[in-house]
Amino acid sequence: MKLNRLLISTAVLAASVSPAFAQGSKLTGTPMGSDVSQARNVFDGNLNTYFRGSYYADWNGNATYVRNWAGLDLGKKYVIKKVGIAPYVSKYAHLAVVQGANNADFSDALPIAMFKSAPAEGKVTYVDVHVSRGFRYVRVVATASAGYFAEVEFYGTQGEGDDSQFYQITDLPTVSFNTPGMAEIKSKEDKHPGSYVAVISDGGRTLLVDANAQMKGRGNGSWTFPKKPFQIKFEKKKQPLDAPAKAKKWTLINNYGDKTLMRNKVAYEMSREAGMPFTPYCTFVDVIYNGEYEGAYQLCDQVEVNPGRVELTEMLPTDTSGYALTGGYFIEIDAYANQEVSWFTSDKGIPVTIKSPKDDEIVAAQSQYIQRFFNKFEASVFASNFTDPVNGYRKYLDLDSFLKYFILCELNGNVDSFWSTYLWKERSEDIFHVGPIWDIDLGFQNTGSPYPVSSMNDFLYTHKDASKASASMEELVNRIVKEDAGAKKRMSEIWSDLRNNYNFSADYFNGLIDEYAETLSESQELNFMRWPILSKSVQKSQRIWYTYEAEVKNIKDYITDRFPKLDELIGYKQSSGIDGIFTDVEDADAPVELFNLQGQRVTSSDPAPGIYIRRCGGKTEKIVIR
């Protein structure tokens, strides 16, 4: 009797963990696909018949937009447990994305799995699915290929399921979006309302969805790359992931020319550490576009006037006189200004785009006001009394924000720093503030010239290959950082304060880079399977390092060399540990005497915190040592 009970228990246990039970049954249904007649071949059980979609590439190997897929209408909802692919040609099935949907047009499709390597020919290769929602429609989408699927198999259990678990491609959040009809996004003007956007995070436990978002292209030079950048515009304001802002517009930065996939992120951390009033939010994500895996991106703020972003008074079309007309304004010195709707050229030939008020809201009085104000500022920089701290250009410019922007750009090595420069003016203030920094894909030694940047004996912006919005823009910068002794002194003070009192060191930022590289480890491998460019120069005579690890080392080497170079160029004054007092490197041997408040001389090289009397060069002052 005991033996029988044992046998029964063992049988029940075996059934509860058997693969067939865990993976459900092999599912059948009505074949669907981008070519339905060929899609039937994928579900006929014959490895000698196959699906082959359309595919075309130009002479440079850049594929035209195609979406080749084969799937099933299961008739009812099933929770998918396992998917198998047998490719007819192995290389055409790698990075294939598996999706589930409950709309027949797959408009609400979500990723449920991905084949991260090329399945072997002549047999079915399986991946397990760990998504809890039930789907009626399922499919496999080829990535950057015709597909060549011989067989596709789905396994699952019938049911609605729940929303407790979704699929992330890697440890990074996954952003998946579908345009209506899987239509191609052809340009930054090509808008697709009614798009379905999903942000999957927290290990697949959190899903943010907008079924009526708008997708479009974005960027200027970055749009010319095969891997496209995009803008998301949610139907209502949302706060994705850990972003500080709640807003409609968000950007997906493609980082095609930045093979480390992190230059913007590093630069923004430098900006945040420097205390800039606004630093764009930026986080690493994986992206799926109409069912195809597109690679590693960064989800970032849209640079705009909005709480948590550039925080300014937002103007109304009725703000046309008096106090209301004075702001707020957000503008960009912009070499591409003539491609925009709302823009002007200054008296000195500097092109300027008006970002806020927005194109469809700004009125003539506002456009004329900010143009006049910019010309006043520009004229003050080129005036004979420009260094006057009261009546010179400081009357119209927040010098500290300009100098911090300048320092950050020289530190991150952005050759486009003065090709595109943001400024903002608050209501009732007669002064421009500078920032934020943006678009650093060419920074951190990512061009062939100048190379190496720190071999220059002058600032990077002066180099012939550093882009400026106009010749007069370079002259304007020269006037401030080279010809104004007061500005040079203030820049030295700001740089020295950052170096002495904040995390402004090569060691700190190189440590961040190591952390980012670890975070991106799996995502970057998949990205360069999708875009095999590590052995190619893709922008501005870019140097080739051949491996991701070498690309990351290039940034770290640059940062290691750049700090001491800027110490030299800006004038670093090492802190003595005494509040408000710095000791110039050149005057390190000058005699300094320290006395306590009882008049006794202090001989210790490391005096205890407290109040002391310092004598140097005939000058006596009270100081605090902390």
Side-chain angles (χ1 to χ4, degrees):
M1 190 60 133
K2 288 183 180 179
L3 180 59
N4 288 340
R5 284 199 297 268
L6 179 61
L7 290 174
I8 293 170
S9 298
T10 303
V12 171
L13 179 62
S16 67
V17 297
S18 68
F21 183 88
Q23 296 164 354
S25 304
K26 184 176 179 180
L27 304 179
T28 60
T30 304
M32 309 171 70
S34 50
D35 183 326
V36 178
S37 62
Q38 289 195 53
R40 295 190 184 97
N41 295 335
V42 173
F43 303 102
D44 64 0
N46 184 352
L47 291 174
N48 293 315
T49 61
Y50 59 91
F51 172 96
R52 177 185 176 183
S54 60
Y55 179 76
Y56 172 77
D58 63 21
W59 292 110
N60 294 317
N62 298 318
T64 57
Y65 176 87
V66 292
R67 290 296 184 271
N68 296 307
W69 61 275
L72 289 174
D73 173 358
L74 301 174
K76 299 177 181 179
K77 290 183 181 180
Y78 287 82
V79 177
I80 306 303
K81 301 292 187 177
K82 183 176 73 168
V83 181
I85 292 180
Y88 192 75
V89 180
S90 178
K91 67 178 181 179
Y92 293 123
H94 83 292
L95 303 179
V97 174
V98 186
Q99 291 183 305
N102 287 307
N103 294 335
D105 61 357
F106 284 89
S107 57
D108 63 340
L110 290 172
I112 62 173
M114 190 170 92
F115 285 79
K116 296 180 180 180
S117 59
E121 296 173 19
K123 65 177 184 179
V124 180
T125 297
Y126 297 98
V127 294
D128 291 329
V129 177
H130 302 283
V131 174
S132 60
R133 179 182 286 186
F135 298 102
R136 174 174 172 173
Y137 305 96
V138 288
R139 69 179 179 184
V140 176
V141 186
T143 289
S145 74
Y148 283 93
F149 303 136
E151 286 295 306
V152 173
E153 298 176 359
F154 295 96
Y155 293 78
T157 57
Q158 185 179 331
E160 293 277 342
D162 59 41
D163 285 355
S164 61
Q165 186 66 47
F166 295 94
Y167 176 69
Q168 282 181 217
I169 296 173
T170 69
D171 289 340
L172 305 182
T174 294
V175 177
S176 173
F177 63 88
N178 314 311
T179 60
M182 296 179 73
E184 178 184 8
I185 299 173
K186 296 181 179 179
S187 73
K188 61 181 184 178
E189 288 80 30
D190 184 21
K191 300 176 181 179
H192 294 258
S195 295
Y196 184 92
V197 177
V199 181
I200 304 165
S201 61
D202 192 28
R205 292 180 293 274
T206 300
L207 174 68
L208 181 153
V209 164
D210 190 327
N212 196 30
Q214 175 184 279
M215 295 299 304
K216 74 179 193 73
R218 64 162 307 280
N220 291 301
S222 60
W223 180 256
T224 64
F225 293 131
K227 180 186 179 186
K228 301 298 183 184
F230 303 102
Q231 182 198 82
I232 302 169
K233 184 178 180 182
F234 291 119
E235 183 179 19
K236 296 180 180 179
K237 290 185 176 182
K238 295 185 184 296
Q239 194 169 10
L241 305 174
D242 58 347
K246 187 176 184 180
K248 288 185 177 182
K249 292 181 180 179
W250 299 85
T251 62
L252 287 171
I253 306 299
N254 53 340
N255 294 318
Y256 186 79
D258 171 16
K259 298 174 190 175
T260 69
L261 308 170
M262 69 171 76
R263 281 179 164 85
N264 283 301
K265 177 78 167 172
V266 176
Y268 297 157
E269 290 308 310
M270 289 177 167
S271 172
R272 195 166 284 109
E273 190 66 30
M276 290 292 279
F278 167 63
T279 297
Y281 167 79
C282 176
T283 193
F284 304 120
V285 297
D286 297 306
V287 168
I288 293 173
Y289 162 29
N290 283 341
E292 279 203 14
Y293 169 68
E294 291 296 303
Y297 281 67
Q298 288 167 351
L299 177 68
C300 296
D301 278 317
Q302 172 83 6
V303 179
E304 64 176 359
V305 174
N306 190 83
R309 292 179 172 171
V310 180
E311 298 190 348
L312 291 177
T313 301
E314 291 196 60
M315 299 185 73
L316 301 173
T318 53
D319 295 334
T320 57
S321 63
Y323 175 77
L325 183 59
T326 64
Y329 293 94
F330 184 41
I331 65 174
E332 179 186 8
I333 295 170
D334 178 15
Y336 293 114
N338 63 2
Q339 300 178 20
E340 303 298 332
V341 174
S342 183
W343 70 286
F344 63 87
T345 301
S346 73
D347 289 343
K348 287 281 188 179
I350 296 176
V352 179
T353 297
I354 303 173
K355 310 294 287 188
S356 184
K358 297 175 183 177
D359 294 344
D360 57 350
E361 297 176 357
I362 193 168
V363 296
Q366 296 165 351
S367 179
Q368 292 163 7
Y369 174 87
I370 194 60
Q371 183 171 353
R372 287 195 303 270
F373 189 84
F374 186 89
N375 283 327
K376 283 183 184 178
F377 156 63
E378 182 185 74
S380 72
V381 177
F382 289 96
S384 59
N385 68 335
F386 78 105
T387 62
D388 188 305
V390 176
N391 298 311
Y393 70 88
R394 289 173 180 77
K395 184 177 180 179
Y396 301 104
L397 179 68
D398 172 24
L399 180 60
D400 276 15
S401 69
F402 174 86
L403 293 174
K404 280 189 177 182
Y405 176 84
F406 180 85
I407 285 170
L408 287 167
C409 292
E410 287 292 328
L411 178 58
N412 64 46
N414 184 16
V415 294
D416 281 349
S417 298
F418 297 103
W419 175 269
S420 168
T421 307
Y422 288 108
L423 299 93
W424 48 274
K425 178 190 179 299
E426 182 54 289
R427 180 168 292 182
S428 79
E429 287 188 351
D430 285 335
I431 193 167
F432 276 127
H433 303 266
V434 183
I437 65 166
W438 180 251
D439 192 13
I440 321 296
D441 63 311
L442 289 174
F444 301 102
Q445 201 65 85
N446 199 25
T447 63
S449 177
Y451 187 91
V453 171
S454 290
S455 66
M456 291 180 62
N457 291 317
D458 201 346
F459 291 116
L460 172 61
Y461 85 93
T462 65
H463 194 273
K464 63 181 179 62
D465 289 330
S467 303
K468 271 76 67 170
S470 68
S472 51
M473 186 61 195
E474 182 169 359
E475 294 174 30
L476 185 148
V477 177
N478 282 337
R479 298 276 284 179
I480 297 173
V481 302
K482 287 183 174 290
E483 299 177 31
D484 182 359
K488 289 195 289 185
K489 180 176 182 293
R490 182 60 187 146
M491 182 159 60
S492 173
E493 291 171 352
I494 292 171
W495 175 250
S496 299
D497 180 46
L498 292 172
R499 295 283 278 127
N500 290 319
N501 300 313
Y502 297 86
N503 292 317
F504 245 66
S505 69
D507 286 346
Y508 176 76
F509 290 112
N510 283 343
L512 279 183
I513 289 168
D514 287 338
E515 291 179 18
Y516 295 158
E518 179 63 27
T519 299
L520 285 163
S521 177
E522 183 181 7
S523 185
Q524 64 84 14
E525 288 185 9
L526 295 172
N527 182 84
F528 293 115
M529 287 173 63
R530 176 69 173 91
W531 308 103
I533 59 171
L534 284 172
S535 60
K536 300 177 182 177
S537 178
V538 297
Q539 65 178 12
K540 278 230 175 187
S541 304
Q542 185 182 65
R543 291 205 165 209
I544 300 172
W545 298 98
Y546 296 99
T547 68
Y548 182 73
E549 292 73 20
E551 290 285 349
V552 171
K553 182 178 183 297
N554 176 48
I555 290 192
K556 294 176 65 177
D557 289 345
Y558 164 82
I559 289 176
T560 299
D561 293 340
R562 194 62 180 158
F563 269 96
K565 190 62 174 184
L566 290 181
D567 287 346
E568 173 191 333
L569 291 173
I570 296 175
Y572 170 45
K573 297 183 178 183
Q574 188 174 7
S575 173
S576 65
I578 301 171
D579 282 1
I581 304 297
F582 296 95
T583 302
D584 289 334
V585 175
E586 304 155 349
D587 300 330
D589 296 326
V592 176
E593 294 179 295
L594 202 63
F595 300 86
N596 62 25
L597 294 182
Q598 288 73 45
Q600 299 167 321
R601 185 173 180 177
V602 178
T603 58
S604 171
S605 60
D606 185 21
I611 301 174
Y612 295 86
I613 304 298
R614 178 182 186 268
R615 292 178 184 169
C616 182
K619 182 179 180 181
T620 301
E621 56 193 339
K622 185 180 288 187
I623 61 170
V624 178
I625 297 179
R626 298 187 186 277

